[in-house]
């Protein structure tokens, strides 16, 4: 069985506090976009004879040479988690065809983990509800529950408090990956103290249908920290603006930047320009509902 696992962008990301256990509290608007990893899961054949070595309960194969394998891969941990809950012993092989850059702030690992939960739920006919899968997903990472539904949503808390947004008009974007990953833990660890003080209430306006108000929406409290350490991210933002984007922002903890365009035609023009920039990997995508 196969499933496509979409990337996401953060249209807004505000850090509104910090818990005693060190987790940061967020208020963010996350939107899935049409850049996908492909996940395929099949049941592994058991050993043909007693002399054969039995297969491992879970095997992960990935097309990206830098992706971790075994228990270091979050897709492995997702399968292991569901296997324990369902008390399943049938070995499985997980194949990941990576197209979402690693360490790019696009949720590549989280979406793969969510896809594994969804696909195994179907394969094993477990009939777990969306909410049950989301609760399991939270054990794997703060972003993983969002990808169970993979619909535009406002996320609060550490990412577990999700509210699905109304259907959005299709918007065309250009994603630009500057060729290097950024460690999420490093970014959060270097936030200025003023960004981690508890805020009584932070409201996010959602002018998602108005390009005139888009600049008020595109805010990322992690961006400045990342750009100070990696100036290339700021340079890519400038490139996208010059390519015609009406709004530009770093996604998540970086390093990818997205540009919002007024039309598909203008986005295609911006994409053609960005794909020729040295060291930059560009993707033409649209918002998913």
């Amino acid at each position: 069985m196969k499933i496509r696992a979409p990337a996401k962008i953060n249209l807004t990301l505000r850090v509104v506090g910090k818990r005693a256990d060190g987790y940061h509290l967020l208020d963010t608007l996350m939107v899935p976009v049409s850049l996908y990893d492909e996940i395929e899961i099949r049941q592994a054949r058991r050993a043909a004879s007693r002399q054969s070595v039995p297969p491992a309960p879970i095997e992960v194969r990935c097309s990206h040479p830098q992706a971790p394998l075994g228990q270091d891969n979050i897709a492995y941990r997702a399968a292991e988690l569901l296997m324990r809950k369902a008390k399943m012993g049938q070995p499985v092989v997980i194949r990941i065809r990576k197209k979402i850059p690693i360490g790019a702030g696009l949720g590549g690992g989280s979406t793969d983990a969510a896809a594994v939960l969804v696909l195994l739920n179907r394969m094993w006919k477990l009939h777990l509800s969306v909410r049950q899968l989301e609760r399991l997903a939270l054990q794997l990472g703060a972003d993983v529950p969002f990808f169970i539904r993979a619909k535009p949503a406002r996320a609060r808390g550490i990412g577990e408090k999700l509210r699905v947004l109304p259907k959005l008009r299709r918007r065309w974007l250009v994603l630009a990956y500057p060729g290097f990953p950024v460690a999420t833990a490093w970014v959060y660890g270097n936030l200025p103290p003023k960004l981690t003080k508890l805020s009584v209430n932070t409201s996010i306006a959602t002018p998602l249908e108005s390009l005139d108000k888009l600049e008020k929406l595109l805010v990322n409290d992690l961006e400045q920290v990342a750009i100070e350490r990696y100036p290339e991210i700021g340079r890519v933002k400038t490139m996208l603006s010059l390519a015609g984007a009406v709004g530009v922002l770093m996604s998540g903890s970086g390093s990818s930047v997205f540009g919002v365009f007024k039309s598909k035609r203008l986005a295609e023009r911006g994409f053609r320009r960005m794909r020729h920039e040295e060291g930059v990997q560009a993707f033409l995508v649209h918002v998913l509902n």
Side-chain angles (χ1 to χ4, degrees):
M1 295 182 72
K2 294 181 181 180
I3 193 171
R4 292 195 301 175
K8 61 83 182 170
I9 58 170
N10 299 80
L11 288 177
T12 300
L13 196 162
R14 305 308 304 263
V15 180
V16 299
K18 189 176 182 180
R19 300 195 320 193
D21 60 6
Y23 279 96
H24 287 80
L25 300 172
L26 307 177
D27 194 353
T28 181
L29 297 178
M30 295 195 289
V31 177
V33 295
S34 59
L35 172 63
Y36 305 92
D37 287 347
E38 185 177 275
I39 312 297
E40 180 182 3
I41 304 179
R42 63 175 177 82
Q43 293 184 348
R45 294 181 180 179
R46 294 189 180 276
S49 69
R50 293 180 181 179
Q51 286 73 36
S52 300
V53 177
I58 303 166
E59 182 181 352
V60 176
R61 303 174 185 174
C62 185
S63 63
H64 197 296
Q66 296 178 1
L69 301 177
Q71 295 183 17
D72 292 331
N73 192 297
I74 191 172
Y76 181 106
R77 299 198 299 274
E80 186 178 49
L81 178 65
L82 197 56
M83 190 174 280
R84 286 200 308 266
K85 179 175 178 60
K87 299 179 180 178
M88 299 292 291
Q90 174 65 47
V92 295
V93 177
I94 302 169
R95 298 177 185 270
I96 305 173
R97 185 182 180 192
K98 289 293 293 181
K99 291 194 175 180
I100 303 171
I102 293 175
L106 301 173
S110 295
T111 193
D112 293 349
V116 168
L117 292 178
V118 170
L119 198 52
L120 287 178
N121 187 45
R122 294 177 188 169
M123 278 182 60
W124 292 337
K125 297 180 173 58
L126 302 178
H127 306 295
L128 296 175
S129 68
V130 167
R131 292 193 178 277
Q132 287 175 308
L133 289 174
E134 286 175 346
R135 284 195 289 270
L136 283 172
L138 186 59
Q139 299 179 43
L140 298 166
D143 279 354
V144 185
F146 165 78
F147 288 106
I148 296 297
R149 301 178 198 241
K151 293 183 177 181
R154 181 178 184 180
R156 288 185 277 188
I158 62 171
E160 83 285 8
K161 299 177 182 178
L162 292 169
R163 179 171 66 84
V164 175
L165 299 173
K167 186 175 181 179
L168 305 181
R169 180 159 55 89
R170 176 173 288 192
R171 292 201 179 282
W172 287 90
L173 317 168
V174 174
L175 303 181
Y177 174 63
F180 56 85
V182 171
T184 299
W186 181 91
V187 174
Y188 279 102
N190 284 273
L191 283 176
K194 67 178 181 179
L195 284 178
T196 60
K197 292 180 180 178
L198 285 173
S199 174
V200 176
N201 183 32
T202 298
S203 62
I204 291 180
T206 55
L208 297 174
E209 300 306 318
S210 172
L211 284 171
D212 295 334
K213 299 177 181 178
L214 194 62
E215 289 183 3
K216 296 180 180 178
L217 184 68
L218 299 181
V219 178
N220 185 341
D221 286 343
L222 307 181
E223 187 177 73
Q224 190 56 42
V225 176
I227 289 176
E228 287 177 1
R229 173 66 177 82
Y230 302 99
E232 182 67 12
I233 295 174
R235 191 174 77 86
V236 172
K237 285 191 67 179
T238 300
M239 289 180 194
L240 278 168
S241 294
L242 293 174
V246 295
V248 181
L249 192 70
M250 184 183 81
S251 182
S253 57
S255 59
S256 286
V257 176
F258 65 88
V260 184
F261 289 78
K262 288 185 177 181
S263 67
K264 181 180 180 181
R265 179 180 60 82
L266 293 174
E268 288 172 337
R269 182 186 300 173
F271 168 69
R272 288 193 294 270
R273 177 167 175 172
M274 291 301 298
R275 70 188 301 187
H276 294 299
E277 294 288 349
E278 185 177 357
V280 175
Q281 189 175 5
F283 304 91
L284 177 67
V285 302
H286 60 78
V287 168
L288 298 173
N289 281 296

